[in-house]
Amino acid sequence: MTGRPGRTGRGGGQAGAGDLLALVRTGRATTRGALQQATGLSRATVGQRLDRLFRAGWLREGAGGPVDSPLGGRPSITLEFDDAHAVVLAADLDTRHARAAVLSLTGELLAEHSGTLAVEDGPDTVLGELGRWFAELLEKAGHGADEVCGIGLAVPGPVDSETGRVVQPPIMPGWDGYDIRGRLARAFTERTGAPPVPVLVDNDANLMAYGEQRTAYPDCSAFVLVKVSTGIGAGVVVDGTIYRGVDGGAGDLGHIRVGTEALCRCGSRGCLAAVASGGAVARKLAGAGVPAASGSDVRDLLAAGHPEAAALAREAGRQVGDVLATVVTLLNPGVLMIAGDLAGTPFLTGVRELLYQRALPRSTARLEVVTSRLGERAGLVGAGALVVEHLYAPERVEQRLRALGV
């Protein structure tokens, strides 16, 4: 007997090894019997495809599950994604500061470093330095460079996800169109001696949203994160997938015009970021004689309870909340998360004041307005998750297994 025909996999035809791995990773089917039922494949075919995943080191057997039959018998052996077979490198760039980490395939931070790194120094310098950080972090985490399966990078600008290049970034001089993937892959190789690995690049707000949604709100089908730091950007996750728009420009809230003549760093006048970002609040404080040069300075003043900083942050929140009323009415998200340097009580209060005043009641009836759960690590977690989801997507699993000769 040949068994039942296999149900169609994502790439057409019978479900392949990549489809089986996806079922196990997501917990939808974690025994051989459950995989047969989910795919319609015969026991022998399921066994053959699982054998390839075991030989690659991507699956392992867990404890026995419950006995499904009322007649008893041996418990079914559960299958688990083996997250120990590789690690991921991730980095999150801000305008003057960066964080980097080694993560497990399930998102656990194994080693982390943060420090001063200015994007205005240019991509060659910055990415070369990240290569050095990665080499030191791998040694700190006790992992070899040959265990790295990929690198994820979050940048403070719009990214064409097809090429990994930033497109006309207003706060990243010298980065427009630069081959970030190629340079970071070379920097990794130069510092570790290991072969180049895949590099994925995305906007920082996108990856923060991805990390936060997957970690704390996995059941939220429409999730919006707004990062307010040097600039203002939003990440949108719909049905578990980052929404990027046609060429990576979705979520660029900071350059929505709000009826002011303030000059923005992008060269236009009247942008939201010119009046309500962390940088804008810092300039207002500096003009009033309060030492502040950046969003991080404003964050420190807010943490110290500085009254003028709190008042300006609340007003900035009102201006952002006015714009977010349109965003919420358009997208109807379940969660709106505020993150970045200004993500404290004064700013959040201002956002809520205008948001609930201007948005339709139906759009806010089930809306949660919250602050970040992961804090400064959100971009790292999102960048790591982006790499894992890319490398272990069903169609890519097939390609990688063939390359491994299994």
Side-chain angles (χ1 to χ4, degrees):
M1 292 179 62
T2 58
R4 291 174 296 169
R7 292 174 192 157
T8 302
R10 294 189 187 189
Q14 290 189 339
D19 296 294
L20 299 192
L21 183 63
L23 289 168
V24 174
R25 286 186 60 227
T26 58
R28 287 177 288 165
T30 57
T31 66
R32 288 168 173 81
L35 288 169
Q36 285 179 245
Q37 187 174 11
T39 62
L41 296 173
S42 70
R43 180 178 179 179
T45 303
V46 167
Q48 290 167 356
R49 292 178 184 176
L50 289 178
D51 182 60
R52 297 176 68 201
L53 297 171
F54 279 114
R55 282 187 286 149
W58 298 353
L59 276 188
R60 65 187 172 206
E61 290 186 340
V67 177
D68 295 330
S69 171
L71 301 176
R74 290 185 299 176
S76 300
I77 299 298
T78 59
L79 303 170
E80 300 173 351
F81 179 59
D82 189 345
D83 66 337
H85 72 269
V87 293
V88 174
L89 297 174
D92 184 5
L93 295 180
D94 209 332
T95 51
R96 295 185 176 88
H97 186 266
R99 305 180 78 87
V102 181
L103 297 95
S104 74
L105 297 181
T106 51
E108 177 187 359
L109 268 75
L110 306 176
E112 183 181 5
H113 174 74
S114 63
T116 301
L117 199 57
V119 294
E120 64 186 17
D121 290 341
D124 189 62
T125 298
V126 170
L127 298 174
E129 182 67 0
L130 284 182
R132 184 178 70 82
W133 287 13
F134 285 150
E136 293 175 355
L137 282 168
L138 284 168
E139 184 175 352
K140 180 180 177 181
H143 285 275
D146 59 339
E147 297 177 72
V148 176
C149 64
I151 300 172
L153 177 65
V155 298
V159 176
D160 182 338
S161 61
E162 292 297 317
T163 65
R165 299 174 188 245
V166 291
V167 182
Q168 299 177 358
I171 57 175
M172 298 179 71
W175 291 72
D176 186 21
Y178 186 86
D179 181 16
I180 296 175
R181 289 177 179 171
R183 177 66 182 102
L184 190 52
R186 289 195 302 276
F188 169 74
T189 297
E190 289 163 3
R191 292 291 183 171
T192 66
V197 295
V199 176
L200 274 72
V201 186
D202 209 329
N203 171 261
D204 55 356
N206 283 348
L207 293 180
M208 289 173 68
Y210 197 47
E212 296 275 9
Q213 188 270 338
R214 289 172 58 86
T215 301
Y217 300 93
D219 297 326
C220 180
S221 60
F223 179 95
V224 176
L225 177 143
V226 179
K227 179 186 179 184
V228 187
S229 290
T230 301
I232 302 175
V236 180
V237 180
V238 177
D239 292 334
T241 302
I242 298 172
Y243 179 75
R244 299 182 176 89
V246 174
D247 59 6
D252 211 352
L253 287 184
H255 301 287
I256 291 177
R257 304 297 171 83
V258 291
T260 173
E261 286 302 307
L263 181 64
C264 182
R265 292 182 66 171
C266 73
S268 298
R269 292 186 180 274
C271 295
L272 179 64
V275 294
S277 64
V281 172
R283 288 191 293 274
K284 292 175 185 177
L285 286 168
V290 179
S294 66
S296 59
D297 292 335
V298 177
R299 179 189 60 207
D300 294 341
L301 289 168
L302 291 171
H306 192 282
E308 192 160 0
L312 287 171
R314 182 169 178 171
E315 177 56 30
R318 288 171 58 84
Q319 292 168 309
V320 173
D322 197 9
V323 171
L324 289 178
T326 301
V327 173
V328 166
T329 301
L330 177 66
L331 296 179
N332 189 209
V335 175
L336 172 62
M337 179 174 283
I338 307 298
D341 292 330
L342 298 192
T345 300
F347 186 86
L348 195 64
T349 299
V351 167
R352 285 176 167 150
E353 285 176 359
L354 262 290
L355 173 63
Y356 287 104
Q357 178 183 328
R358 300 289 172 83
L360 293 171
R362 185 180 182 281
S363 299
T364 58
R366 297 171 59 190
L367 176 68
E368 293 184 61
V369 182
V370 299
T371 53
S372 172
R373 296 283 188 91
L374 297 175
E376 294 181 336
R377 293 175 170 170
L380 294 176
V381 173
L386 186 73
V387 171
V388 173
E389 292 306 315
H390 173 79
L391 292 178
Y392 295 92
E395 64 278 5
R396 206 153 283 106
V397 164
E398 297 293 342
Q399 296 169 7
R400 295 178 65 204
L401 288 174
R402 286 194 294 270
L404 289 171
V406 298

